[in-house]
Amino acid sequence: MEYPLSITSLIETQRDGKDLRSRVTHVMAETDLGPFTDFGTPTFFFGKLVDVTEEQILYFRYAPGVEVLFRGGRYRFESISPTGTFKLVRTN
């Protein structure tokens, strides 16, 4: 199935400690979430980004502080390949 992901990156940390983040990039990911198909946030999951450019993949791979939001959970890419296959790991 396909699921929406919302991705941002860190632009800078301000003096007061607040993070200034980039605009949200919305992408779709093809994945099998098993028992989490309809609800919940798995600890980690594998998938493939759908209809993203090589430039976007490079940005997600190398930009500082990339954060992925999925169903209210915060994730980071543990790995992401040039073809868009990935592993996301929950951070909260």
Side-chain angles (χ1 to χ4, degrees):
M1 291 184 70
E2 289 188 6
Y3 298 90
L5 304 176
S6 300
I7 304 173
T8 64
S9 64
L10 182 64
I11 303 245
E12 69 177 284
T13 300
Q14 299 175 334
R15 285 188 211 173
D16 61 3
K18 292 182 183 177
D19 289 341
L20 179 60
R21 302 199 62 81
S22 68
R23 290 185 180 185
V24 177
T25 300
H26 299 282
V27 299
M28 296 299 288
E30 188 174 298
T31 185
D32 179 2
L33 293 176
F36 296 97
T37 296
D38 295 323
F39 60 89
T41 54
T43 304
F44 66 90
F45 62 97
F46 299 89
K48 181 172 170 109
L49 300 176
V50 178
D51 294 329
V52 295
T53 66
E54 286 181 46
E55 290 173 341
Q56 285 176 303
I57 291 170
L58 287 172
Y59 182 79
F60 299 151
R61 190 173 189 181
Y62 295 113
V66 171
E67 183 176 84
V68 181
L69 299 176
F70 174 69
R71 292 184 179 166
R74 295 179 190 277
Y75 291 81
R76 66 174 175 78
F77 286 108
E78 182 172 283
S79 64
I80 183 168
S81 77
T83 62
T85 58
F86 64 82
K87 179 180 180 183
L88 283 175
V89 178
R90 195 169 64 203
T91 60
N92 67 341

